[in-house]
Amino acid sequence: MSYSRLSSGDSLPLYNRGSSGSRSNSSESSSALGTASPIINARDSIDLAYYEFSSKRQKHGSSNNWANLILHAPKSVVVAGLLTIFVTSYLLSLQAGDLVYINEHLGTIGAELLVSVVSLTVTTVMLYVGRMRSNTRRGTLLVILCISVILYWYDHGERFEHHGFYNILVFLLIFVPLNVAIALFYVLWCKIENFIVYFFISLAIGGIAASAALVHYRRVFDQGTLGVFQYTPGECQWTGRNIPFIDLLPAGTQNFWAGSMYCRPESQRIKASVDGDGVLRVACESKDKDVFVDVLPETRQWPLKDKDMWSGFNHLILERVVRLPYSSSRPFVFNETTQAVVVRCGSSSTIVTRVSPSLAKLPVYVPPSDSDTRPSSSPTFSPKSARFNVSEAPKMQLGRPNVIYLMLDAVSHRQFYRRLPKSAHVLKTLHRPGNHRLFELYRYHSVGFSTDNNTKAAYTGEIYPSQPNPLPIWAYYRDRGYVTARIEASCDDWAKKYIGSKFDSQEYSVGNRSLDYELSSPFCLSEYFPNVGNAYGNFKGPNSITAHCLYGRYVHDWAFDYLYQLRTELSEHRAKQLAQQKDARPFMITATFIEGHEGTGEVLRTLDDSLALFLESIRDSGELDDTVLIIGADHGLHMGLNFAFLQSGRIEHQNPFLVMSVPEWLHEFSEKYQTKHGSEKVSPFAANEQRLVTPFETHHTFRVLADWPEFETDSWKRSLFATQRAGRTCEEAGIGANFCMCKIPATQ
């Protein structure tokens, strides 16, 4: 059916559907339309509506010549214009720069992507709904395909300087669901009588349900383990309209198309273990397969120049792997410095880790005089520095606490509860007054955009190191007699990446200076961390939107294995020393988990079971009676749909997760010390939960624990053990104005 022969002054005949709802036309209308079929389909009615709309504009003598020109333009011209808008807006969204530039222009980039999505969607609708020749339609689709291929090859990078692949992912995450919804709408419109009525009724019901859900999720946004974000007069509030639309999406929605979130088991079963004497025992399911052992290099003593992730840290590890044959007839003994080996049987592999050497054989560490972090050796030390010795307080425990810090990269306060429900449930059980107490920071605010500034604030106390050769906080602990260990589950070295440029020589080994144990090599294996191409891509490596797997298990499970071995080895040795009334060395363990650092925010779900098991284990073992456990993040997710398009995502980015479990005796001392020496006679834990705090306070908390039982009072005042001042502003807390998301309302 065509209306091209009608002039603008002609009137179009009407049709009716009959009283029964069937699409029947009178003979007069059928004759007037000049068609053999009495039925007008959906595509015809679209053309009819388009024609009537344009006729009315001419009838009323519209003076908008541009509008008339567009309405009467050939469809091919309109399609060409839409494609031009699509290409132009997409190219504009590829604007690139450094981290700061992307952060400042993210809203513009997101808007340009939306324009490109809408323009291509309108083009697609016109191709299939509008009346166009099949050759024209096929030709246009071919042009769209060619344009898409060219745009992909023009920029498919995965870094700030070239971020085309991320643009493609965001584009498809919007374009595909939108077009599926439109196609479904069109099909139902054609098939169901009075569909528009049903559609608007469904839309109204859905809108009411979504509004109710958003009210619920807005309330949930403020909730924590044992409390809730309180809107206290005088304290800062999250800025803007915080409407968490992202919570309307079911779990797994954003990356369901990327594959299963489970790791596929290895084809061959391998049982491998190492005993207390370092003897490795292997049992391979296939007896006819040769068994090899890849001894992974110990990276702790490597100099800074060998740990550069951009210069081939992973390649050096692969080059220094030593492959040895395994035979059950002769024992295979671990080297005293080897932390991990890979056992290979046919096409299957497994990892075996060991705390080596054992704590009993660990050499006594003596800090070098040129870089000792103890106050008497520090260049900033002043004999007048005020210090407090816990022995001055009656009936207080003088034993030194163990410290475990789990850093969950890019996990906001809300994201923890959104993606880790099992862990959140177990976390509540860690609060056992009389043994250990749990508290949570609701206004914990990052001080920068990414890991860089936030971890430097937490680990060194400065964003811009004021002294040459700065050392991380674990060096501070080691100089005070702690056994220090670090797990880097992303083939990375924090010291090299973030403070390495501040050292006089790249031959210096920060690991050898600050750590007794380090596990990094297994996470640089090519099966997980690609040794060819971009190791930080969207489908392979630590930033992948797919499950992070290595030899049939999640990567983080290998890290938790080693963490469990560390806890067992160090705790048992300490218990023996205490039983013999000997000086028992406490330990400080830091571990970094990268599952939260990817664009969809879905991979974090894979961490839930393992983290919950860890929390149950440390709770049931009794370790928390003399261990401070901190689980925190550097910042919230700074990529993906939530961050790019929603104010709630921007808030989450600056509101990282942090909870802290402290032994009862430490909690009791902090309360008493605050009452006696603090300016506010209130509980520091209850107060700080609702006050603006940052990684700078986390750093001073680390320092106080390392110095125990004698600490600098200045550090205590800035730590989480002391009540931080009420009504702090971002400027007072050390948060830059362009990062501040928590402000005191002007009305207050």
Side-chain angles (χ1 to χ4, degrees):
M1 156 175 204
S2 175
Y3 303 107
S4 59
R5 290 175 293 178
L6 296 172
S7 66
S8 60
D10 293 333
S11 61
L12 286 171
L14 300 177
Y15 69 94
N16 64 74
R17 297 189 172 193
S19 58
S20 63
S22 62
R23 294 179 178 174
S24 61
N25 291 31
S26 65
S27 58
E28 291 83 5
S29 62
S30 177
S31 174
L33 287 170
T35 60
S37 171
I39 299 176
I40 296 180
N41 60 28
R43 184 179 295 173
D44 295 334
S45 58
I46 290 176
D47 283 344
L48 175 61
Y50 175 84
Y51 180 83
E52 288 180 338
F53 178 71
S54 60
S55 298
K56 287 179 181 179
R57 291 191 63 87
Q58 287 197 359
K59 183 177 180 180
H60 289 84
S62 172
S63 60
N64 192 335
N65 294 328
W66 282 107
N68 288 328
L69 183 62
I70 293 173
L71 285 170
H72 290 86
K75 291 180 181 177
S76 57
V77 175
V78 176
V79 168
L82 289 169
L83 289 179
T84 301
I85 296 173
F86 158 62
V87 173
T88 303
S89 56
Y90 187 84
L91 288 174
L92 288 173
S93 75
L94 295 175
Q95 57 182 298
D98 58 13
L99 184 63
V100 176
Y101 180 89
I102 295 297
N103 182 41
E104 293 176 348
H105 294 80
L106 193 60
T108 303
I109 294 172
E112 290 160 350
L113 266 177
L114 278 177
V115 171
S116 66
V117 169
V118 172
S119 58
L120 187 58
T121 297
V122 175
T123 304
T124 306
V125 171
M126 287 189 65
L127 289 178
Y128 283 95
V129 177
R131 288 189 167 277
M132 302 184 75
R133 294 179 178 179
S134 58
N135 289 338
T136 303
R137 186 180 295 113
R138 284 194 291 267
T140 305
L141 289 174
L142 182 61
V143 170
I144 293 174
L145 179 62
C146 292
I147 291 174
S148 301
V149 172
I150 292 171
L151 290 176
Y152 173 80
W153 285 112
Y154 176 74
D155 186 353
H156 56 276
E158 299 175 86
R159 295 177 181 171
F160 291 115
E161 297 81 6
H162 301 283
H163 51 85
F165 201 93
Y166 292 106
N167 286 44
I168 292 171
L169 285 179
V170 174
F171 183 95
L172 292 176
L173 282 172
I174 302 173
F175 179 80
V176 173
L178 177 61
N179 281 263
V180 169
I182 292 173
L184 182 62
F185 177 90
Y186 178 69
V187 170
L188 293 176
W189 185 24
C190 295
K191 299 293 185 182
I192 300 176
E193 191 70 30
N194 297 322
F195 171 72
I196 293 296
V197 176
Y198 301 142
F199 172 75
F200 279 108
I201 292 174
S202 301
L203 199 63
I205 295 173
I208 294 172
S211 299
L214 285 174
V215 171
H216 165 72
Y217 287 125
R218 179 62 188 86
R219 185 170 61 252
V220 168
F221 192 95
D222 293 333
Q223 292 180 356
T225 302
L226 299 171
V228 65
F229 182 99
Q230 297 176 4
Y231 291 84
T232 308
E235 293 295 340
C236 68
Q237 316 294 341
W238 300 124
T239 61
R241 293 177 61 84
N242 182 9
I243 306 176
F245 287 103
I246 200 71
D247 282 314
L248 295 177
L249 298 177
T253 301
Q254 297 185 68
N255 72 340
F256 72 93
W257 45 271
S260 171
M261 283 290 104
Y262 297 95
C263 296
R264 184 167 55 185
E266 294 287 89
S267 58
Q268 303 289 334
R269 290 185 181 179
I270 305 174
K271 292 183 179 180
S273 61
V274 59
D275 62 21
D277 297 323
V279 178
L280 177 68
R281 290 181 171 80
V282 179
C284 184
E285 186 178 48
S286 297
K287 304 298 182 181
D288 57 336
K289 301 290 185 181
D290 292 332
V291 179
F292 295 93
V293 178
D294 289 349
V295 181
L296 303 183
E298 160 73 318
T299 59
R300 183 183 65 86
Q301 299 182 4
W302 286 15
L304 288 167
K305 67 181 181 65
D306 287 351
K307 289 189 169 184
D308 189 344
M309 55 179 284
W310 302 116
S311 299
F313 178 37
N314 62 317
H315 289 280
L316 280 178
I317 286 177
L318 297 178
E319 290 172 6
R320 297 175 184 181
V321 170
V322 177
R323 173 163 292 186
L324 300 172
Y326 175 84
S327 174
S328 58
S329 60
R330 62 179 184 273
F332 187 102
V333 182
F334 265 59
N335 185 288
E336 278 299 324
T337 60
T338 299
Q339 304 299 317
V341 300
V342 179
V343 178
R344 303 188 185 276
C345 176
S347 60
S348 300
S349 305
T350 190
I351 297 174
V352 180
T353 55
R354 176 176 183 250
V355 178
S356 182
S358 64
L359 195 56
K361 298 179 180 179
L362 191 68
V364 176
Y365 175 75
V366 178
S369 58
D370 61 341
S371 64
D372 191 351
T373 67
R374 289 177 295 189
S376 59
S377 303
S378 172
T380 60
F381 171 72
S382 170
K384 298 181 181 180
S385 297
R387 299 181 68 80
F388 183 87
N389 196 311
V390 180
S391 61
E392 299 175 19
K395 300 180 181 180
M396 289 307 303
Q397 180 168 326
L398 302 181
R400 311 183 70 188
N402 300 316
V403 179
I404 299 178
Y405 178 55
L406 305 187
M407 205 282 274
L408 311 181
D409 200 329
V411 177
S412 69
H413 180 271
R414 174 69 187 114
Q415 183 74 338
F416 183 91
Y417 294 100
R418 180 187 292 130
R419 295 289 182 252
L420 303 172
K422 293 180 182 178
S423 301
H425 177 73
V426 178
L427 204 58
K428 293 181 180 180
T429 66
L430 267 57
H431 186 67
R432 293 181 174 178
N435 298 100
H436 38 81
R437 297 184 183 237
L438 188 78
F439 73 98
E440 181 174 11
L441 303 181
Y442 293 93
R443 286 178 171 83
Y444 191 56
H445 200 301
S446 56
V447 294
F449 183 82
S450 64
T451 302
D452 191 342
N453 288 0
N454 293 301
T455 52
K456 282 194 289 188
Y459 295 159
T460 69
E462 301 174 301
I463 293 178
Y464 306 103
S466 58
Q467 299 288 332
N469 306 321
L471 290 171
I473 192 65
W474 38 94
Y476 195 86
Y477 275 79
R478 198 183 191 201
D479 287 353
R480 286 154 180 77
Y482 272 76
V483 178
T484 56
R486 181 160 177 80
I487 302 171
E488 291 272 11
S490 60
C491 190
D492 202 355
D493 184 77
W494 184 88
K496 169 58 186 175
K497 186 175 182 179
Y498 296 112
I499 58 175
S501 62
K502 303 299 180 181
F503 283 83
D504 296 333
S505 172
Q506 293 300 296
E507 296 293 336
Y508 188 79
S509 174
V510 177
N512 191 46
R513 168 67 183 80
S514 60
L515 292 169
D516 294 296
Y517 301 102
E518 178 181 86
L519 187 69
S520 184
S521 292
F523 312 112
C524 295
L525 295 169
S526 57
E527 290 88 342
Y528 165 61
F529 194 91
N531 62 338
V532 177
N534 181 16
Y536 294 92
N538 287 291
F539 297 97
K540 194 77 182 287
N543 293 351
S544 170
I545 64 175
T546 61
H548 298 181
C549 300
L550 182 60
Y551 305 142
R553 300 178 69 196
Y554 292 123
V555 170
H556 58 252
D557 284 335
W558 300 114
F560 275 115
D561 283 353
Y562 188 68
L563 178 57
Y564 177 79
Q565 292 169 346
L566 281 169
R567 288 168 45 215
T568 302
E569 169 72 24
L570 301 177
S571 297
E572 289 180 353
H573 183 270
R574 190 182 190 195
K576 291 178 181 178
Q577 295 294 97
L578 290 173
Q580 299 172 9
Q581 297 183 342
K582 295 181 179 179
D583 183 27
R585 296 179 64 186
F587 59 82
M588 194 269 192
I589 303 173
T590 60
T592 300
F593 297 91
I594 202 75
E595 280 73 13
H597 196 282
E598 52 85 26
T600 68
E602 302 284 3
V603 177
L604 184 62
R605 291 183 292 128
T606 64
L607 183 66
D608 198 16
D609 288 340
S610 299
L611 180 57
L613 287 174
F614 164 78
L615 293 174
E616 290 175 349
S617 171
I618 199 169
R619 176 200 64 197
D620 297 341
S621 67
E623 294 173 68
L624 292 178
D625 291 348
D626 65 349
T627 298
V628 174
L629 171 66
I630 304 175
I631 304 176
D634 47 355
H635 53 82
L637 192 57
H638 51 11
M639 59 186 86
L641 298 176
N642 192 29
F643 176 69
F645 298 106
L646 299 176
Q647 179 67 9
S648 60
R650 306 293 179 86
I651 293 172
E652 286 193 42
H653 170 232
Q654 297 295 338
N655 181 214
F657 179 76
L658 193 138
V659 295
M660 183 175 177
S661 172
V662 298
E664 182 66 28
W665 54 266
L666 182 55
H667 177 272
E668 181 184 348
F669 173 81
S670 302
E671 301 261 313
K672 291 181 178 179
Y673 188 90
Q674 178 67 33
T675 301
K676 185 175 181 179
H677 301 281
S679 56
E680 286 189 77
K681 311 304 180 183
V682 295
S683 167
F685 301 102
N688 290 337
E689 280 195 330
Q690 302 296 336
R691 295 188 177 176
L692 183 63
V693 289
T694 70
F696 289 118
E697 282 72 53
T698 305
H699 173 76
H700 286 281
T701 302
F702 283 136
R703 287 176 64 100
V704 168
L705 292 171
D707 284 331
W708 193 270
E710 183 180 358
F711 52 81
E712 297 179 12
T713 55
D714 286 344
S715 275
W716 180 274
K717 291 176 183 178
R718 293 201 59 186
S719 75
L720 297 174
F721 298 121
T723 301
Q724 297 303 308
R725 192 177 67 80
R728 282 212 299 178
T729 64
C730 284
E731 182 179 4
E732 292 168 339
I735 304 166
N738 54 330
F739 296 120
C740 182
M741 292 300 297
C742 195
K743 299 180 180 179
I744 299 175
T747 55
Q748 297 180 10

